[in-house]
């Protein structure tokens, strides 16, 4: 039975019936997300929301009557994972759903929300799993920071109705805090991780990390927590650290005393030629501990372009050149890199932000496209704690993959030749994408 891709979505009931019964995606070139070379002429059997088998075209045992979808000349790769998004600071359901829609139709099948109002994020995550909204899966963190951070306007925006620092998803951690109890409260939000954010000494970063791991939660941190230095953050043993740039605070004789001091890194302290030896020690430790670097590099490169047009813009903590240099050294040192973005495009942009992070890794950092694809898929799944279910085209994993018209290994820009996105077995045709509107995004202050 031959079916064109266009038949999917003809009716919700028919699409759900086909998803439940299964489909054979036939004769594609598969890029499996592990970094292995592409494999041409492959069949992919999906039943329900899972991949059941992958093999050479014509070699699989396929249940009688399974629809066959001809993908001759097409390319299949795992769904992308953005490991650094913010969906609810402040909560705005219309805006969040619009951003999630662009992500899904742009090939993003999972995102890692790095601390927001989890009352809102949890509902978005539920609605996504139930298929009520067009959205990637959402994995999210509860935030912990020092008391001084809770003067930040963003905290007030995500804690309405709860005393500042007392919300289970946004907790102030002081000398006398019962950290084990704080982690237990965070677990009650259904968060997968604790995000360690700011204004904490090294001893408290370590104590939070140990308590979280003891209770089965991951730990995602800023690479410099202020006053905790990057080396102290890394030695605490988190699962991932965010922002390659912030690692360069290790070079300063004394780290900034507080997150609120936004003095940029001193780029002149980096070695003039070749790899920086201080950074090399950090990267060696990260590799030994298996810590993922959520680099967020494209954000800083894009900001440089904006500042050329408007020199009055506030400087970020580093330049694009520093982000490129530090990410490249980390990658060459064997540190696992994921594709986090920590930014949001204007409504007119047709593609999700993670595409730019992929392009950053290939064009600026110098990663081969296969490695950048792995960063955006399998490493992203590992950073989110979902490697058992996501990130690669393998039997038993969720049926989360993209169908492309052109080969992204030849040119990473071909990531934008998406014909369809399959998420948990459901098909989303790119032609069905509804562009975002300014009205959807113009809700409140989302700095």
């Amino acid at each position: 039975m031959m079916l064109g891709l266009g038949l999917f979505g003809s009716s919700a009931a028919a699409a759900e019936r086909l998803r439940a019964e299964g489909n054979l995606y036939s004769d594609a070139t598969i890029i499996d997300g592990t970094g292995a070379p592409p494999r041409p002429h492959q069949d992919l059997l999906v039943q329900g929301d899972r991949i059941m088998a992958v093999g050479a075209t014509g070699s699989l045992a396929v249940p009688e009557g399974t629809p066959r979808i001809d993908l001759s000349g097409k390319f299949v790769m795992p769904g992308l994972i953005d490991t650094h998004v913010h969906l609810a600071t402040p909560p705005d359901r219309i805006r969040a759903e619009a951003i999630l829609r662009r992500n899904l139709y742009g090939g993003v099948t999972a995102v890692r929300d790095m601390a927001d109002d989890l009352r809102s994020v949890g509902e978005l995550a539920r609605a996504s799993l139930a298929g009520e909204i067009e959205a990637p899966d959402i994995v999210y963190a509860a935030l912990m920071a020092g008391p001084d951070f809770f003067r930040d306007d963003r905290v007030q925006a995500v804690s309405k109705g709860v005393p500042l620092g007392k919300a289970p998803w946004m907790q102030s951690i002081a000398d006398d805090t019962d950290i084990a109890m704080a982690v237990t409260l965070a677990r009650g939000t259904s968060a997968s991780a604790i995000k360690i954010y700011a204004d904490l000494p090294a001893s408290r970063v370590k104590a939070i990390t140990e308590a979280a791991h003891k209770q089965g939660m991951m730990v995602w941190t800023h690479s410099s927590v202020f006053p905790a230095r990057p080396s102290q953050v890394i030695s605490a043993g988190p699962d991932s650290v965010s922002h390659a740039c912030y690692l360069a605070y290790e070079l300063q004789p004394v780290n900034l005393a507080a997150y609120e001091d936004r003095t940029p890194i001193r780029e002149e302290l980096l070695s003039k030629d070749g790899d920086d030896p201080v950074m090399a020690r950090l990267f060696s430790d990260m590799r030994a501990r298996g810590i993922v670097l959520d680099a967020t590099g494209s954000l800083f490169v894009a900001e440089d372009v904006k500042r050329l047009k408007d020199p009055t813009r506030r400087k970020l903590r580093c330049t694009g050149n520093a982000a490129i240099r530090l990410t490249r050294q980390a990658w060459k040192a064997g540190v696992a890199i994921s594709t986090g973005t920590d930014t949001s495009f204007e409504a007119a942009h047709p593609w999700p932000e993670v595409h730019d992070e992929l392009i950053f890794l290939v064009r600026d950092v110098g990663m081969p496209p296969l490695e950048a694809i792995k960063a955006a898929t399998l490493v992203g799944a590992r950073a989110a704690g979902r490697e058992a279910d996501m990130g690669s085209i393998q039997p038993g994993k969720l049926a989360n993959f993209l169908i492309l018209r052109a080969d992204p290994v030849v040119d990473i820009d071909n990531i934008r030749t998406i014909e369809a996105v399959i998420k948990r077995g459901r098909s989303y045709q790119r032609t069905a994408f509804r562009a975002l509107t300014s009205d959807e995004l113009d809700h409140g202050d989302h700095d």
Side-chain angles (χ1 to χ4, degrees):
M1 180 179 179
M2 296 295 294
L3 290 177
L5 285 171
L7 290 182
F8 287 90
S10 57
S11 77
E16 186 63 25
R17 184 170 62 254
L18 286 173
R19 186 183 77 87
E21 294 172 353
N23 296 292
L24 179 69
Y25 295 86
S26 182
D27 201 24
T29 295
I30 288 183
I31 303 160
D32 67 10
T34 67
R39 304 196 306 274
H41 305 297
Q42 298 287 302
D43 285 355
L44 179 65
L45 178 63
V46 172
Q47 290 185 326
D49 63 358
R50 297 278 166 174
I51 297 169
M52 302 306 295
V54 182
T57 298
S59 70
L60 301 183
V62 180
E64 185 177 352
T66 299
R68 177 177 178 266
I69 300 168
D70 184 8
L71 297 185
S72 301
K74 306 291 173 59
F75 299 82
V76 168
M77 61 170 282
L80 304 172
I81 299 174
D82 188 335
T83 55
H84 202 126
V85 305
H86 291 282
L87 297 171
T89 298
D92 184 330
R93 182 69 179 251
I94 292 173
R95 182 177 189 274
E97 285 192 22
I99 291 170
L100 289 167
R101 183 176 77 243
R102 177 166 59 190
N103 268 280
L104 180 63
Y105 280 96
V108 180
T109 53
V111 298
R112 194 173 69 149
D113 187 288
M114 297 295 282
D116 285 298
D117 189 331
L118 295 192
R119 294 169 295 189
S120 176
V121 174
E123 171 54 22
L124 290 166
R126 185 209 61 79
S128 173
L129 287 173
E132 296 170 2
I133 61 174
E134 297 171 319
D137 285 356
I138 304 167
V139 182
Y140 51 90
L143 181 143
M144 292 186 183
D148 288 347
F149 173 67
F150 287 81
R151 294 192 293 265
D152 193 298
D153 290 343
R154 294 169 298 173
V155 177
Q156 300 175 39
V158 301
S159 302
K160 289 188 183 300
V162 183
L164 291 180
K166 300 298 185 182
W169 59 90
M170 193 75 46
Q171 295 186 67
S172 172
I173 307 299
D175 288 338
D176 59 351
T177 300
D178 183 337
I179 292 177
M181 179 58 72
V183 171
T184 300
L185 290 171
R187 284 178 60 206
T189 68
S190 295
S192 296
I194 301 297
K195 180 178 179 180
I196 300 175
Y197 195 81
D199 298 336
L200 291 167
S203 59
R204 226 166 291 162
V205 172
K206 182 176 178 60
I208 294 169
T209 302
E210 290 176 349
H213 284 163
K214 188 174 182 179
Q215 295 192 41
M217 297 190 77
M218 300 187 78
V219 176
W220 307 334
T221 78
H222 272 179
S223 55
S224 186
V225 174
F226 314 107
R229 301 172 68 83
S231 58
Q232 294 169 325
V233 172
I234 291 166
S235 67
D239 299 283
S240 74
V241 299
S242 294
H243 309 307
C245 281
Y246 295 13
L247 290 164
Y249 282 111
E250 184 69 21
L251 295 163
Q252 299 184 182
V254 177
N255 197 17
L256 302 182
Y259 167 85
E260 291 73 21
D261 180 349
R262 295 181 177 272
T263 302
I265 65 168
R266 293 177 57 189
E267 294 184 32
E268 75 276 8
L269 297 178
L270 288 162
S271 62
K272 299 297 184 287
D273 300 302
D275 288 346
D276 184 88
V278 175
M279 295 296 99
R281 289 193 291 273
L282 292 183
F283 296 141
S284 177
D285 197 8
M286 288 180 65
R287 179 181 178 182
R289 295 175 182 273
I291 298 171
V292 174
L293 176 60
D294 169 33
T296 68
S298 58
L299 163 67
F300 295 93
V301 172
E303 186 63 22
D304 282 356
V305 174
K306 294 174 183 177
R307 290 194 75 251
L308 284 174
K309 297 177 181 178
D310 179 10
T312 65
R313 287 180 67 91
R314 185 185 71 184
K315 288 184 178 181
L316 299 184
R317 293 185 186 263
C318 81
T319 64
N321 285 336
I324 292 167
R325 175 179 179 173
L326 292 168
T327 305
R328 181 184 295 136
Q329 185 176 347
W331 161 58
K332 289 187 173 180
V335 175
I337 310 292
S338 71
T339 48
T341 58
D342 197 20
T343 191
S344 184
F345 290 154
E346 66 281 0
H349 204 293
W351 298 105
E353 296 80 5
V354 76
H355 286 202
D356 279 28
E357 191 72 7
L358 269 164
I359 292 167
F360 161 80
L361 291 178
V362 174
R363 301 274 166 77
D364 295 324
V365 175
M367 272 192 191
L370 267 177
E371 290 195 41
I373 290 168
K374 181 179 179 180
T377 56
L378 192 58
V379 177
R382 176 178 149 199
R386 295 294 188 270
E387 192 174 356
D389 281 328
M390 302 176 182
S392 58
I393 306 291
Q394 293 177 293
K397 290 198 173 185
L398 288 169
N400 290 352
F401 55 88
L402 317 183
I403 298 170
L404 308 175
R405 294 187 301 274
D407 188 354
V409 175
V410 172
D411 185 346
I412 197 61
D413 280 346
N414 288 335
I415 197 71
R416 292 173 172 166
T417 65
I418 293 172
E419 191 164 297
V421 179
I422 313 300
K423 183 222 165 183
R424 290 182 174 261
R426 291 187 176 93
S427 179
Y428 299 85
Q429 296 290 302
R430 176 65 191 180
T431 54
F433 171 60
R434 292 179 294 111
L436 279 62
T437 68
S438 296
D439 285 345
E440 288 179 304
L441 294 191
D442 289 347
H443 285 256
D445 178 13
H446 301 283
D447 182 18

